[in-house]
Amino acid sequence: GGSSRCSSSLREEANPPKMRASSRVLLVGTGADELLGGYGRHRTARARRGAEGVQSEMLKDLQRLWTRNLGRDDRVVADHGREARHPFLDDAVLRFVGTLPIDLLAFGPGGEAKPSPDKWMLRELAAARGLVACARFKKRAIQFGTRIAKQSNIWHTGSNRQGKGTMVYRSLEGCGQEDS
């Protein structure tokens, strides 16, 4: 079946086969978390403030997506000679999700009494299309899923534990300072 295209075995995850794709256009998942409540802050808002809290967080995320993520992501993809396409940001997808009741997006079909996992709708669709293993994947942002954040912290600070959002990267030290 289709699930063989998406395996979650630890052996394969630890030693993925090396591949080179000839595709010039990549379909990326940007917008899925913002539209379908996939961030940890959405779960926190759901627990503390219910569906209205989730809606508030999701709207904030969507409003800042254009300046916060898209430019950066497009530059990274372009740096590798590829073009990004964002199917979750398609007008028809945005309109469809916008018609759904916030209670359904926030809690899933079981409602507040039996809340579904994050991005439940996307997980159900993946499972229905035969991507059962993919539907069960734990969410990891690309900078964490690829381990690039850990490697960057180690390179810049000598330790992953020392990495902080306020640190100055070695390659940036002295930038913007005039010579005296």
Side-chain angles (χ1 to χ4, degrees), residues 1-6 121-135:
S3 63
S4 64
R5 292 184 295 187
C6 191
M121 193 180 309
L122 189 56
R123 293 174 186 282
E124 289 288 326
L125 179 63
R129 301 295 299 164
L131 301 172
V132 177
C134 291

Side-chain angles (χ1 to χ4, degrees), residues 33 38-40 43 118-119 123 136-142:
D33 289 313
Y39 289 124
R43 288 187 300 279
D118 64 350
K119 293 189 288 189
R123 293 174 186 282
R136 290 190 285 237
F137 276 170
K138 180 181 175 191
K139 174 192 168 28
R140 285 195 312 217
I142 192 166

Side-chain angles (χ1 to χ4, degrees), residues 66 86-98:
W66 314 107
H86 310 276
F88 290 104
L89 301 178
D90 180 81
D91 288 340
V93 174
L94 292 170
R95 274 194 305 278
F96 170 72
V97 173

Side-chain angles (χ1 to χ4, degrees), residues 37-54:
Y39 289 124
R41 64 182 160 273
H42 297 147
R43 288 187 300 279
T44 300
R46 178 171 79 176
R48 292 183 181 169
R49 298 178 284 142
E52 291 76 23
V54 175

Side-chain angles (χ1 to χ4, degrees), residues 7 9 13 18 51 57 63 83-84 95 100 102 105 107 110 120 122 126 146 149 157 162 171:
S7 176
S9 77
E13 196 171 303
K18 299 214 184 269
E57 291 299 316
Q63 289 167 348
E83 291 182 46
R95 274 194 305 278
L100 299 174
I102 189 59
L105 286 171
F107 298 110
W120 67 270
L122 189 56
T146 62
T157 68
Q162 299 299 317
S171 58

Side-chain angles (χ1 to χ4, degrees), residues 29-39 41-42 54-66 68-70 72-73 88-89 94 97 102 105 119 139:
T30 305
D33 289 313
E34 291 81 0
L35 280 175
L36 303 172
Y39 289 124
R41 64 182 160 273
H42 297 147
V54 175
Q55 183 176 34
S56 173
E57 291 299 316
M58 289 168 71
L59 287 173
K60 279 191 259 183
D61 287 335
L62 279 171
Q63 289 167 348
R64 63 184 171 209
L65 175 68
W66 314 107
R68 189 180 213 186
N69 299 34
L70 283 175
R72 175 202 62 210
D73 295 351
F88 290 104
L89 301 178
L94 292 170
V97 173
I102 189 59
L105 286 171
K119 293 189 288 189
K139 174 192 168 28

